């Protein structure tokens, strides 16, 4: 497998020879964290979409009661075809994790919940985990959409003040909101930037697909607007590795 590593300011970018090679490299990175922190309290937060493919073939030895599993963002639905957490539970990885007594942080909305109550439940679960495991480690997988969004943080180039209202509160760990016409799934729950920057120890960004070439270039521009391209938050995180394709190199 041929790949090259390039440092883009604070972000490490790994260029693999193909999309398949990029997936293998990103998986190896994830598996290494699971092995390295075996026996240490660890919270793994998984993005939906193509990033969930990284969970294929996780070694059973990397799973155990020390691990807690959840998602980075979700859709306000109890439909297993829509809700990211339910999709995660149905993967082979999710089923193996359940057998290994892994704990789960559910983001399935309860009957009759408001979007604010849904967000509060997730925030409380995160705070409970962090408070219970002061020496614990948090690992996250991220994807970046063709519009530059990441997890449930949507771009607001037309209204940066609204973006700031939603996402710049230094005390909020989660945000539940209506994204309007920005996505077919309007009612969303997402980790907030304050949680990402203060509490996540390691982040793996898996970024492949021709339709995402331009968004990668935008994300790597650390001087651009966060409201225009939320994926630029990678420059504010502690330890980030972006795994992508060689053909995306500038």
């Amino acid at each position: 497998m041929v790949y090259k590593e390039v440092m883009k300011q604070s972000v490490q970018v790994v260029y693999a020879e193909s999309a398949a090679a990029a997936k293998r490299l990103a998986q190896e990175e994830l598996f290494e964290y699971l092995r390295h922190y075996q026996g240490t309290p660890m919270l793994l937060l998984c993005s939906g979409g193509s990033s969930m493919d990284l969970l294929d073939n996780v070694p059973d030895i990397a799973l155990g009661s020390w691990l807690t599993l959840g998602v980075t963002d979700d859709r306000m639905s109890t439909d297993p075809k829509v809700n990211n957490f339910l999709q995660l539970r149905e993967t082979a990885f999710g089923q193996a994790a359940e057998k290994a007594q892994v704990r789960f942080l559910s983001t399935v909305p309860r009957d009759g919940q408001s979007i604010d109550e849904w967000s509060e439940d997730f925030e409380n679960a995160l705070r409970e985990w962090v408070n219970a495991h002061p020496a614990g480690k948090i690992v996250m997988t991220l994807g970046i959409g063709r519009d530059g969004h990441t997890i449930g943080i949507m771009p607001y180039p037309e209204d940066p003040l609204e973006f700031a209202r939603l996402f710049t509160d230094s005390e909020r760990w989660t945000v539940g909101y209506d994204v309007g016409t920005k996505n077919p799934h309007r009612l969303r729950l997402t980790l907030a930037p304050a949680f990402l920057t203060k509490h996540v120890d390691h982040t793996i960004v898996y970024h492949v697909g021709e339709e995402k070439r331009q968004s990668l270039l935008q994300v790597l521009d650390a001087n651009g607007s966060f409201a225009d391209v939320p994926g630029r938050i990678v420059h504010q995180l502690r330890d980030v590795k972006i795994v992508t394709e060689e053909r995306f190199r500038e």
Side-chain angles (χ1 to χ4, degrees), residues 148-162:
H149 85 268
T150 190
I151 55 176
I153 304 175
M154 298 295 168
Y156 279 78
E158 79 289 357
D159 194 349
L161 291 179
E162 176 63 6

Side-chain angles (χ1 to χ4, degrees), residues 80-81 84-95:
K81 295 181 179 179
N84 286 335
F85 178 80
L86 291 175
Q87 291 179 44
L88 173 63
R89 288 294 296 259
E90 290 187 354
T91 63
F93 173 75
Q95 294 172 19

Side-chain angles (χ1 to χ4, degrees), residues 124-142:
N124 288 341
L126 289 169
R127 290 185 181 275
E128 178 184 335
W129 190 94
V130 170
N131 290 336
H133 306 100
K137 298 295 181 179
I138 300 179
V139 177
M140 175 175 65
T141 65
L142 285 188

Side-chain angles (χ1 to χ4, degrees), residues 14-233:
V14 179
Y15 294 94
E17 60 185 353
S18 65
K23 178 181 175 181
R24 289 194 296 272
L25 284 168
Q27 284 180 313
E28 289 172 7
E29 188 76 9
L30 175 59
F31 298 171
E32 181 55 33
Y33 286 132
L34 289 167
R35 286 189 290 263
H36 180 73
Y37 292 125
Q38 190 173 15
T40 298
M42 174 179 158
L43 173 59
L44 175 60
L45 296 167
C46 305
S47 290
S50 60
S51 293
M52 210 170 281
D53 293 343
L54 301 183
L55 303 175
D56 295 344
N57 305 314
V58 172
D60 290 345
I61 194 174
L63 302 176
S65 59
W66 60 86
L67 181 64
T68 302
L69 187 62
V71 294
T72 57
D73 62 296
D74 222 326
R75 300 143 176 186
M76 197 170 190
S77 173
T78 58
D79 183 345
K81 295 181 179 179
V82 176
N83 183 270
N84 286 335
F85 178 80
L86 291 175
Q87 291 179 44
L88 173 63
R89 288 294 296 259
E90 290 187 354
T91 63
F93 173 75
Q95 294 172 19
E98 187 168 8
K99 291 179 181 177
Q101 298 183 321
V102 167
R103 180 189 172 194
F104 289 85
L105 296 188
S106 175
T107 45
V108 179
R110 293 182 282 110
D111 288 346
Q113 266 194 316
S114 69
I115 195 166
D116 289 337
E117 291 168 337
W118 182 41
S119 176
E120 185 177 1
D121 277 357
F122 188 32
E123 176 144 350
N124 288 341
L126 289 169
R127 290 185 181 275
E128 178 184 335
W129 190 94
V130 170
N131 290 336
H133 306 100
K137 298 295 181 179
I138 300 179
V139 177
M140 175 175 65
T141 65
L142 285 188
I144 299 168
R146 68 184 71 186
D147 62 354
H149 85 268
T150 190
I151 55 176
I153 304 175
M154 298 295 168
Y156 279 78
E158 79 289 357
D159 194 349
L161 291 179
E162 176 63 6
F163 184 89
R165 184 189 71 80
L166 288 168
F167 298 117
T168 60
D169 187 331
S170 62
E171 300 302 319
R172 292 177 72 176
W173 287 14
T174 67
V175 177
Y177 70 118
D178 185 340
V179 305
T181 59
K182 295 179 182 294
N183 191 278
H185 303 287
R186 290 184 55 158
L187 301 183
R188 304 297 290 255
L189 173 63
T190 184
L191 294 171
F195 178 83
L196 302 180
T197 57
K198 295 177 183 177
H199 297 286
V200 176
D201 296 287
H202 308 286
T203 300
I204 303 165
V205 181
Y206 172 54
H207 192 83
V208 297
E210 181 60 35
E211 73 280 5
K212 296 182 180 180
R213 178 194 295 266
Q214 186 59 36
S215 64
L216 177 64
L217 295 177
Q218 293 173 328
V219 163
L220 294 179
D221 176 9
N223 297 315
S225 165
F226 185 27
D228 288 355
V229 182
R232 288 179 175 136
I233 196 172

